[in-house]
């Protein structure tokens, strides 16, 4: 366990230990285990640990191309189905003739309603229409507690067959960096100086895996998400070795659409 923890950040150790607990539970009880909604970095960590236990792993987010997904850890005898993931998709009904909601407004309203963010997944827009994936055991709680976005009254109506696509389209790009420090990568992907990158990080304009960080020296890892204000969101997709000058070849994906 200690040897494995060395591969992850100090801030991730509690989650790594929780992943081990889930895997041990499946090992001992020999029944599947369903998680809450996890982001891509969390799923990468969980998948790594599940493989070490010789167990299997499947994920589902309610939408095609979903970014946040629930994960099913299961022994070899089990054959997962969509129903195993206990996800319900709601569409928000609101006066579209008078109001145009945004992702930020809907997400903020969910947080203000006291709803645990691990209990809902992607918020997907298609024009003025909005759909939301939630854990099915909390669907009544959602209906009762999520009734307003700002000053706009909303009503949740269950969608039997979700057909929206979560727009996580990544434009891949190969970059060369001297190290995996956050400031080095921010500088390269945003096409700005290292000094400017450092100021953005220290000015709380950069998020690493959905959390603001002010550490220039933070080491970036696979499946990390870097959000840079006014520059977009980037995912660390692949490490492809080094150049003759010992620069690191790194494939990143910029979120588009």
């Amino acid at each position: 366990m200690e040897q494995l923890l060395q591969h992850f950040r100090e801030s991730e150790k509690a989650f790594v230990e929780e992943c081990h607990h889930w895997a041990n539970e499946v090992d001992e009880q020999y029944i599947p285990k369903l998680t809450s909604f996890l982001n891509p970095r969390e799923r990468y960590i969980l998948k790594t640990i599940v493989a070490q236990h010789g167990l299997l792993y499947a994920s589902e987010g309610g939408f095609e191309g979903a970014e946040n997904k629930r994960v099913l850890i299961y022994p070899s005898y089990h054959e997962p189905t969509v129903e195993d993931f206990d996800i319900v998709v709601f569409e928000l009904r609101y006066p579209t003739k008078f109001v145009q909601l945004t992702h930020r407004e809907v997400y903020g309203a969910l947080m203000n309603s006291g709803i645990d963010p691990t209990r809902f997944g992607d918020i997907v827009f298609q024009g003025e229409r909005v759909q939301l994936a939630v854990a099915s055991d909390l669907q009544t709680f959602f209906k009762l507690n999520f009734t307003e976005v700002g000053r706009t009254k909303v009503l949740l109506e269950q969608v039997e067959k979700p057909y929206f696509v979560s727009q996580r389209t990544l434009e891949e790009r190969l970059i060369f960096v001297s190290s995996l420090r956050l400031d080095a990568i921010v500088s390269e992907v945003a096409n700005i100086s290292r000094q400017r990158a450092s100021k953005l990080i220290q000015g709380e304009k950069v998020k690493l895996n959905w959390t603001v960080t002010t550490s220039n020296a933070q080491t970036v890892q696979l499946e990390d998400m870097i959000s840079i204000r006014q520059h977009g969101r980037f995912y660390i997709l692949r490490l492809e070795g080094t150049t003759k000058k010992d620069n690191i070849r790194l494939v990143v994906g910029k979120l588009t659409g």
Side-chain angles (χ1 to χ4, degrees):
M1 179 66 170
E2 288 301 320
Q3 186 176 4
L4 179 65
L5 285 172
Q6 295 176 3
H7 296 284
F8 300 103
R9 302 185 181 95
E10 185 69 31
S11 61
E12 295 174 330
K13 288 185 177 180
F15 181 71
V16 172
E17 291 172 353
E18 187 172 24
C19 291
H20 268 290
H21 175 74
W22 292 336
N24 286 331
E25 189 177 321
V26 176
D27 263 337
E28 293 168 3
Q29 299 181 13
Y30 210 55
I31 57 174
K33 171 70 177 180
L34 180 64
T35 73
S36 295
F37 287 92
L38 304 178
N39 64 48
R41 174 63 183 174
E42 290 171 330
R43 295 200 302 274
Y44 173 77
I45 293 172
L46 179 55
K47 190 173 184 179
T48 300
I49 293 169
V50 165
Q52 290 194 342
H53 282 258
L55 299 169
L56 299 175
Y57 163 114
S59 61
E60 173 61 51
F63 300 103
E64 181 184 342
E67 179 174 76
N68 300 287
K69 299 180 180 182
R70 303 190 78 176
V71 173
L72 188 74
I73 309 165
Y74 61 96
S76 58
Y77 77 86
H78 186 75
E79 295 185 5
T81 64
V82 173
E83 288 72 24
D84 284 331
F85 295 93
D86 289 338
I87 296 173
V88 172
V89 175
F90 288 116
E91 182 155 345
L92 272 64
R93 299 299 184 190
Y94 66 100
T96 56
K97 289 184 179 180
F98 308 103
V99 181
Q100 182 67 56
L101 299 181
T102 67
H103 186 281
R104 177 176 293 183
E105 289 171 336
V106 175
Y107 182 82
L110 283 164
M111 298 299 290
N112 291 335
S113 298
I115 296 171
D116 183 341
T118 69
R119 306 300 283 160
F120 63 87
D122 287 13
I123 303 166
V124 182
F125 281 73
Q126 183 172 295
E128 62 189 17
R129 300 178 64 184
V130 187
Q131 291 186 353
L132 167 70
V134 307
S136 61
D137 59 323
L138 285 183
Q139 57 183 302
T140 301
F141 181 85
F142 271 85
K143 285 183 176 180
L144 293 175
N145 291 276
F146 186 51
T147 58
E148 289 184 335
V149 175
R151 297 181 179 179
T152 303
K153 296 290 184 180
V154 298
L155 177 69
L156 295 180
E157 183 177 296
Q158 186 172 342
V159 177
E160 292 301 326
K161 293 184 178 180
Y163 54 87
F164 283 16
V165 176
S166 192
Q167 298 295 328
R168 185 176 180 257
T169 303
L170 297 179
E171 182 181 281
E172 291 193 11
R173 173 184 164 198
L174 177 65
I175 64 173
F176 301 88
V177 289
S178 58
S179 75
L180 293 177
R181 282 174 52 116
L182 181 61
D183 55 358
I185 293 176
V186 168
S187 170
E188 189 64 31
V189 298
N191 194 28
I192 57 179
S193 70
R194 188 78 167 259
Q195 183 179 22
R196 175 60 180 158
S198 177
K199 287 182 178 179
L200 287 177
I201 295 167
Q202 293 174 355
E204 300 186 351
K205 302 295 192 300
V206 175
K207 290 183 180 180
L208 181 62
N209 296 327
W210 295 269
T211 302
V212 171
T213 179
T214 57
S215 173
N216 292 320
Q218 178 75 266
T219 300
V220 175
Q221 301 179 16
L222 286 175
E223 294 297 331
D224 276 346
M225 186 281 293
I226 301 172
S227 175
I228 310 167
R229 190 174 299 180
Q230 296 184 341
H231 292 278
R233 292 166 60 184
F234 303 84
Y235 290 81
I236 308 302
L237 301 179
R238 297 187 299 279
L239 292 172
E240 297 197 341
T242 58
T243 67
K244 292 180 180 179
K245 294 183 178 181
D246 289 329
N247 285 322
I248 300 168
R249 297 166 55 91
L250 191 64
V251 178
V252 300
K254 181 176 182 179
L255 188 68
T256 62

